[in-house]
Amino acid sequence: MTSAILPADLGFFSTLASAGSLSAAARELGVTTPAVSKHLALMESRIGVSLVNRSTRRMSLTPEGEVYLDHARRILGDIDGMEELLGVSKATPQGLLRVNATLGFGRSHVAPLISRFVRKYRQVEVQLQLSVNPPAPTEDLFDVCVRFGAPPDSRVIARRIAANRRLLCAAPAYLAKHGIPKVPNDLTKHNCIGIRQGEEAYGVWRLASGRGRSANTEAVKTRGNLATNDGEIAVNWALDGHGILMRAEWDIERYLRNGRLVPVLPQYYTPDADIYAVYPQRHQLAARVRAFVDFLALSFTQQAAVAKA
């Protein structure tokens, strides 16, 4: 009796769902779009249900497709874990590694590290996707997500790979013209560059005058005539002298060193933005995931040491 679900279907459907379209899946699989369509049709015929809603421009999963995908990824993860436990692929990291990172940080920091990583581990194939906001950890669309701040979800592993702070800064020319803020409330009189990212309240900056239990935090409602969802653009606006910016230290440290940007209210603490590598618990045994996360942690540690030196 022929099974309705074949082992090869699991990986195929996981790739199709991640790609988002038949044509994109065809490119990833190295086959033609009609071949992908035929494979999907055969799967649906054997199962007896529709897995994908098709349209001319995009596709979406049916409720049955969502169930199929969830179980397919869980089974594939279990296979990876079993291989690791048996020592099948423990020695050499290999296979597909799906990585997600934010736009600016991913472009400037994660992508160059991936370039070095695949030179060292030539049997690993890396797919990097950059996005404005990190995906929900439980969506399981990626093997590793590089993000700022630990996710509030115990179902994933979050390894802190680098310390990071948010800092207030501005161009010297802007401060010379508009004055230097002395206390947090002074920010309400300044042009503050807004960044619409993540789930944090837009336009609200939180500054603390101490740490721990003695901390006194002020929430300042800022305003300004410039806002964006791209951190690199916001930094460039600050460099052009348009206003005060709150940005992660990793993105502005070189400008602070060369004086193109200067700290604002440095005596106040802003929310931490430590860098974490986040991955599903079932992936912790995968050699490619362990190798990549270890590689990131070591690389960021070395970069921080060089920066301090």
Side-chain angles (χ1 to χ4, degrees), residues 29 39 137 180 200 258:
L29 294 168
H39 190 157
I180 301 175
E200 298 178 1
N258 63 27

Side-chain angles (χ1 to χ4, degrees), residues 170-171 193 232 234-243 255 258 260-261:
I193 299 171
E232 184 176 347
V235 171
N236 287 332
W237 285 341
L239 291 169
D240 288 341
H242 287 290
Y255 301 120
N258 63 27
R260 295 187 64 191
L261 294 175

Side-chain angles (χ1 to χ4, degrees), residues 13 44 49-53 60-71:
F13 195 71
E44 292 175 326
V49 297
S50 176
L51 299 174
V52 173
N53 294 314
S60 62
L61 301 185
T62 64
E64 294 80 7
E66 295 284 358
V67 172
Y68 191 105
L69 178 64
D70 180 60
H71 284 267

Side-chain angles (χ1 to χ4, degrees), residues 40-250:
L40 177 61
L42 289 173
M43 286 176 56
E44 292 175 326
S45 176
R46 289 197 305 268
I47 298 172
V49 297
S50 176
L51 299 174
V52 173
N53 294 314
R54 302 165 179 79
S55 66
T56 55
R57 293 188 177 181
R58 57 182 303 176
M59 50 163 264
S60 62
L61 301 185
T62 64
E64 294 80 7
E66 295 284 358
V67 172
Y68 191 105
L69 178 64
D70 180 60
H71 284 267
R73 285 178 170 162
R74 186 179 304 123
I75 293 169
L76 292 170
D78 288 342
I79 293 174
D80 282 346
M82 182 172 64
E83 288 182 344
E84 295 297 329
L85 290 172
L86 295 174
V88 173
S89 58
K90 186 176 295 183
T92 305
Q94 57 187 314
L96 176 63
L97 180 71
R98 301 165 300 161
V99 180
N100 175 267
T102 56
L103 288 173
F105 188 78
R107 186 184 303 114
S108 61
H109 294 283
V110 179
L113 291 181
I114 288 177
S115 176
R116 290 165 47 195
F117 177 78
V118 295
R119 290 183 188 277
K120 182 176 182 180
Y121 299 101
R122 296 186 178 275
Q123 295 186 48
V124 179
E125 175 188 350
V126 181
Q127 293 179 356
L128 172 64
Q129 179 171 316
L130 305 182
S131 56
V132 174
N133 298 319
T138 54
E139 287 184 3
D140 199 19
L141 297 175
F142 301 96
D143 299 303
V144 180
C145 292
V146 183
R147 58 176 291 163
F148 295 98
D153 197 307
S154 60
R155 290 170 291 180
V156 295
I157 297 174
R159 177 176 170 183
R160 181 177 177 271
I161 57 176
N164 189 37
R165 298 178 298 163
R166 291 185 176 95
L167 302 175
L168 295 181
C169 62
Y174 173 85
L175 297 176
K177 183 176 181 180
H178 299 280
I180 301 175
K182 303 298 183 183
V183 295
N185 193 56
D186 288 347
L187 293 171
T188 61
K189 305 171 186 176
H190 283 266
N191 199 51
C192 295
I193 299 171
I195 301 179
R196 296 179 180 270
Q197 288 182 343
E199 299 177 355
E200 298 178 1
Y202 169 71
V204 177
W205 291 357
R206 302 183 187 279
L207 293 90
S209 56
R211 289 286 197 179
R213 295 181 179 179
S214 62
N216 179 29
T217 302
E218 297 181 54
V220 181
K221 179 64 177 177
T222 61
R223 59 182 181 178
N225 64 347
L226 289 174
T228 179
N229 66 345
D230 187 289
E232 184 176 347
I233 291 174
V235 171
N236 287 332
W237 285 341
L239 291 169
D240 288 341
H242 287 290
I244 298 174
L245 174 70
M246 179 187 287
R247 193 63 184 157
E249 184 178 17
W250 279 88

